[in-house]
Amino acid sequence: MGALRMRAPDGEWLTSDTAVAGLHDLDEVLAVTSRYEEHRATDEDVAYLSGIATSPGGARPKANVMTDSGRLAIAKLPHSKDGNLDTEGWEAVALTLAQRAGIRTAHFAARRVSSDRSILISERFDRDENGARRGYISAATALGIGAHDDRRVTYEEFADTIAELSADPVHDLHEMFRRIALTVLINNVDDHWRNHGFLRSDRGWRLAPAFDVNPSPRRGTTMSRAISDQDDPAHRAIENLLLTAGSYTLKPDEAAAIIGDVASKIAEWPAIALGLGIAEEQVSAMSAAFDAEHLGRALSLR
């Protein structure tokens, strides 16, 4: 997907990589987006957003931006429906925890725009260091499923797809196991088959970096995938992941050690959040996402 562009019959590209804002333009982007959400946007505002708005999907307002180092990135903006939650700040917390747990992510940064709001700036991983496009397919494409089949496929089935498709299946399976542990232990509710994927490398397809990882204090109603046929996505248990260790070419003791290691990094979440400037009252409100009892069971596996 990242390597495709459409051209009109006259030879003109239908999209342009030049329609981007700079990091110094983010205040203006945020102001224009706010006016648009409040139905106060002018024709000039709409034209401006049409030029820089992204099209990778998702429900959140986004903009194409160029970093100071000349890298194309996506700026994920606060939304009026966020309520009292700094959604982008908490995604930065989740991605920081992922990195500490040995999970690859795109290079990202959180920029605070108010006492309770952040912008998340994430570099495009479907571009190489020279800006050239890299092929990308979502897990949904790799699995060959449609929108109505999304909830029927389990992570255990996805492990079979990784084993068949990846140019380095053992490495990618082990990392996927870490990602599922993270997802379960932070109650990631943005967990669907279009938020996983593969990047094309010189050797073939490889698991793409983790993205769109969003912890939520709300439990019982989730957008999460089942670990296996025995798992309930609304009430996921880390023990169910341990039972599927063999699907990821892991022995039970190896899988237990990985879960314990991921849990030990996640246990640092309050300090990470405060370090990113998230207010203490939000840290308290988010504690249900990082359920202490669940985390404790995972830590006991070390």
Side-chain angles (χ1 to χ4, degrees):
M1 182 172 68
L4 298 179
R5 294 180 73 190
M6 299 296 180
R7 190 193 293 268
D10 62 5
E12 290 292 323
W13 292 112
L14 299 183
T15 59
S16 171
D17 279 345
T18 61
V20 297
L23 293 183
H24 59 279
D25 298 319
L26 284 177
D27 289 341
E28 180 181 2
V29 173
L30 192 59
V32 173
T33 302
S34 296
R35 290 197 294 272
Y36 186 84
E37 286 186 1
E38 296 166 2
H39 305 289
R40 298 187 297 107
T42 65
D43 290 344
E44 290 78 10
D45 288 339
V46 174
Y48 180 68
L49 289 177
S50 296
I52 64 169
T54 65
S55 57
R60 302 201 60 77
K62 305 171 187 173
N64 286 311
V65 297
M66 193 69 70
T67 67
D68 292 338
S69 61
R71 298 278 295 181
L72 186 64
I74 295 174
K76 300 177 72 171
L77 310 173
H79 194 286
S80 58
K81 297 180 180 179
D82 289 341
N84 296 323
L85 197 65
D86 181 5
T87 300
E88 305 312 332
W90 283 107
E91 184 170 354
V93 171
L95 291 172
T96 301
L97 293 172
Q99 288 183 339
R100 294 191 174 202
I103 297 167
R104 292 174 300 114
T105 74
H107 182 74
F108 70 93
R111 173 171 170 174
R112 186 151 296 282
V113 295
S114 69
S115 61
D116 60 352
R117 289 289 184 271
S118 300
I119 294 175
L120 183 73
I121 303 162
S122 180
E123 292 186 3
R124 294 287 295 260
F125 55 70
D126 58 353
R127 302 292 192 272
D128 67 17
E129 54 275 4
N130 298 315
R133 293 167 179 253
R134 303 178 64 188
Y136 171 84
I137 57 173
S138 71
T141 297
L143 287 161
I145 59 175
H148 299 296
D149 300 319
D150 191 57
R151 292 179 179 271
R152 302 177 186 175
V153 178
T154 68
Y155 271 118
E156 199 165 24
E157 292 173 84
F158 184 49
D160 292 338
T161 299
I162 295 174
E164 294 172 2
L165 189 62
S166 172
D168 191 348
V170 172
H171 185 279
D172 285 348
L173 283 167
H174 290 185
E175 181 168 338
M176 195 67 228
F177 190 87
R178 285 183 178 271
R179 295 187 190 190
I180 303 167
L182 177 85
T183 281
V184 172
L185 293 172
I186 69 171
N187 195 36
N188 172 27
V189 297
D190 205 2
D191 175 35
H192 55 79
W193 296 124
R194 285 169 180 77
N195 279 350
H196 300 287
F198 296 89
L199 273 180
R200 190 71 178 176
S201 70
D202 293 338
R203 294 178 52 213
W205 293 106
R206 293 296 310 279
L207 195 63
F211 61 97
D212 283 2
V213 186
N214 292 282
S216 172
R218 295 184 61 187
R219 292 183 176 271
T221 302
T222 72
M223 283 292 292
S224 303
R225 305 307 93 192
I227 295 170
S228 65
D229 289 335
Q230 288 70 48
D231 185 52
D232 177 1
H235 303 283
R236 289 178 298 186
I238 198 65
E239 289 81 2
N240 287 334
L241 178 59
L242 186 59
L243 292 174
T244 65
S247 297
Y248 303 88
T249 71
L250 292 165
K251 297 177 181 178
D253 59 334
E254 294 173 328
I258 288 175
I259 292 172
D261 179 60
V262 173
S264 69
K265 304 302 188 298
I266 293 173
E268 302 168 2
W269 73 268
I272 300 298
L274 292 172
L276 287 170
I278 296 178
E280 289 187 12
E281 53 267 27
Q282 280 205 33
V283 173
S284 177
M286 186 58 82
S287 61
F290 306 89
D291 181 71
E293 179 183 350
H294 203 185
L295 198 58
R297 296 204 309 269
L299 286 168
S300 69
L301 296 174
R302 287 186 296 175

